[in-house]
Amino acid sequence: MNDIRKTGNTNVKPFNSFVKDNAYKIDPSKHFCDNTACDSLQMMFVVKSHVLNFGQRYVIRKTWGNVKHLRTKIVFIIGYTDIETPFIEEELKQYNDIVQLNIADTYENLVYKTIYSMLWLLDLNIEPEFIHFVDDDRLVNTMNVYDIAFSQIAPSDLVMIGHKVNFQRPQRDNNSKVYLSPEEYPFAYLPSHLIGGTILTNMKTVKMLAIGVLYVKIIPTEDSYLGIVAAALGIEMRHHSGFLICKWPTDVLPYMVSSPGYEPTYALLRDWKFIKRQGLTTMYIYYKSWSLLDSYVYQIR
């Protein structure tokens, strides 16, 4: 890892192998920048989406994924399902923003969505200022995300910003979707990590993570795995209370960064209209709001 940090490479044989030739069922790389210039992007949104979540993707394109005040680009990372999905081809023709992986679209494979999305970004060879990895069930206050990134992430930084979790125990209940067997992870505590549904970073960090995942044994919980890789590479994981872990009342939305709880598409449309009515207010006027959020998060832990 020291070699990687200093030179970007190492002579050590990789632990994992990611064969990209057969990794993508759909890859829009050749025409991804045809309609929108990619040479001066301020923000790239990488949205992990289930293959059948057509409604979520449509509404995101019409709301926080389509803010005119910033130069942004969005890509949806999906897997496949045994259910026939002929509409994917039509969606691709219309929007050209879908990367479909050659993996089953299950929770256990979420970690591979993140890994292959990073590898895809590297192959795309564009340099957005900032990257926001986010799930498709979240409402993002786009201007707030950019304001945080611009003020807290320098191009030379190795840093990831989100909601940081410390001293969490691995889930040993095999009925849980985040179950980790002792064989997969034998330790009593998980490393510090950011919740995987919303992580803000820069391209330098993405490049380092894309190298690091080759040398760290994969576990099927995405956020914990990224925490292990980040710790090994000395990447700072910085907590920010604006990356919410649960849905808050509507009047908090203009001050937040990213909120879960938006599986119903009507809720995303409704609350985005509320944010727009507030004028996409940036949060730096509201420092007290963050101390209140911190207090609340501490209590529910």
Side-chain angles (χ1 to χ4, degrees), residues 120-264:
W120 184 82
L121 282 174
L122 265 59
D123 288 342
L124 192 61
N125 197 30
I126 63 173
E127 291 288 336
E129 283 186 67
F130 309 108
I131 313 287
H132 188 196
F133 294 94
V134 62
D135 290 349
D136 69 358
D137 64 345
R138 283 187 165 261
L139 170 61
V140 175
N141 194 325
T142 316
M143 294 302 296
N144 283 356
V145 171
Y146 182 74
D147 284 346
I148 289 175
F150 185 78
S151 64
Q152 298 190 24
I153 303 177
S156 60
D157 285 347
L158 286 175
V159 63
M160 300 155 61
I161 300 178
H163 186 97
K164 190 175 181 179
V165 178
N166 300 306
F167 306 115
Q168 189 177 56
R169 289 185 178 273
Q171 178 57 256
R172 299 305 192 196
D173 179 0
N174 57 15
N175 293 316
S176 171
K177 69 176 184 179
V178 292
Y179 168 69
L180 273 177
S181 71
E183 291 74 28
E184 291 170 316
Y185 190 83
F187 309 108
Y189 289 92
L190 293 167
S192 297
H193 58 271
L194 306 180
I195 59 171
T198 174
I199 293 175
L200 177 63
T201 187
N202 60 7
M203 201 62 194
K204 179 178 179 179
T205 305
V206 170
K207 290 176 180 178
M208 291 297 291
L209 289 169
I211 297 172
V213 296
L214 297 171
Y215 300 93
V216 180
K217 175 187 173 183
I218 294 174
I219 59 174
T221 51
E222 170 210 19
D223 45 12
S224 301
Y225 178 67
L226 285 183
I228 296 171
V229 178
L233 289 168
I235 294 170
E236 180 186 359
M237 290 173 281
R238 193 180 300 161
H239 175 74
H240 195 294
S241 298
F243 295 83
L244 304 183
I245 59 172
C246 60
K247 197 170 185 297
W248 273 62
T250 306
D251 57 359
V252 174
L253 296 179
Y255 319 132
M256 66 82 189
V257 180
S258 168
S259 172
Y262 285 91
E263 291 87 353

Side-chain angles (χ1 to χ4, degrees), residues 69-83:
H69 308 292
L70 292 172
R71 297 186 302 278
T72 65
K73 193 77 173 171
I74 191 166
V75 62
F76 295 93
I77 311 296
I78 65 174
Y80 74 85
T81 178
D82 291 336
I83 301 172

